[in-house]
Amino acid sequence: MTRFASFAALAAIVFLATPAAAGSTLVAVAANFTDPAREIAAAFADKTGDIAELSFGSTGSLYAQIGQGAPYEVLLAADDERPARAIEEGIAVEGSQFTYAIGTLVLYSADAGRATGPETLRDPEIGRIAIANPKTAPYGAAAVETMRKLGVYDALKGKIVEGSSIAQAFQFVSTGNAELGFVALSQITGNESGSRWVVPAEDHIPIRQDAVLLEAGSDNETAKAFLDFLKSPEAAAIIERYGYASQG
């Protein structure tokens, strides 16, 4: 064997022995889905070796960033309206939208026995109540809709404190800066402290959380693989464990 042939054979062996570089995708995730998204991304990495880099915020804020050119490749929204709008506006791939979870709204208090049901909202002694910004966060819009349906919104609107996202609304309640708050069930799943009232689904429009492939990720196989994994039974089990209904 010539010296060149030997070198070529050695190079081939080294090449075959070197693992392929991991793929990656940049995913914009609604704040309420923070914990399950992290677990799903870890499971995705374990299964594929690829990385889903997650960025969290309110759906409205994330959508505004995407419109301004942020390089997200996948959007996991807290509603179904913005993914549909993204397709209409040509910044997402047609046919890629699907519901990955249906959220549950909860009235929560860090105090045991405080949040017991709709009657809690009729208490004239109620202190501050936290919600996510209803203009940008679907959970905030659902909270306002619930209060209006119960006929208590006008009495409570002066006591409402708005977080920029559902994560901040939960922070207000968990730190005692608000007596009560409308949060996502996923944020308190596994936490037995405090008190809660699970808002009936019929009190507000269903919180359908949709995913969509953005145009920036249209040629990224890792972005497509992550969305496929989000539909898998493995991801569905994680989603349901965090208090969502899964479409997987």
Side-chain angles (χ1 to χ4, degrees), residues 104-185:
T104 300
L105 184 68
V106 177
L107 181 67
Y108 174 71
S109 174
D111 298 329
R114 186 67 183 97
T116 58
E119 67 279 359
T120 301
L121 297 169
R122 300 188 178 97
D123 181 353
E125 300 300 317
I126 193 172
R128 291 193 292 179
I129 181 168
I131 68 171
N133 184 341
K135 295 180 180 178
T136 60
Y139 280 81
V144 171
E145 186 181 359
T146 296
M147 288 185 282
R148 289 190 186 280
K149 183 169 183 179
L150 294 173
V152 298
Y153 179 75
D154 288 341
L156 292 175
K157 63 183 179 181
K159 301 180 179 183
I160 291 174
V161 291
E162 292 183 6
S164 60
S165 69
I166 196 69
Q168 190 174 45
F170 176 72
Q171 184 181 35
F172 288 158
V173 186
S174 62
T175 58
N177 288 310
E179 181 183 3
L180 295 159
F182 281 99
V183 303
L185 178 59

Side-chain angles (χ1 to χ4, degrees), residues 1-17:
M1 180 180 292
T2 66
R3 190 191 319 182
F4 176 78
S6 298
F7 176 80
L10 178 61
I13 292 171
V14 171
F15 177 79
L16 290 172

Side-chain angles (χ1 to χ4, degrees), residues 38-52 229 234 238:
R38 285 175 174 158
E39 191 168 333
I40 289 168
F44 175 69
D46 287 344
K47 185 170 184 177
T48 67
D50 293 335
I51 299 169
F229 185 77
E234 185 175 356
I238 295 170

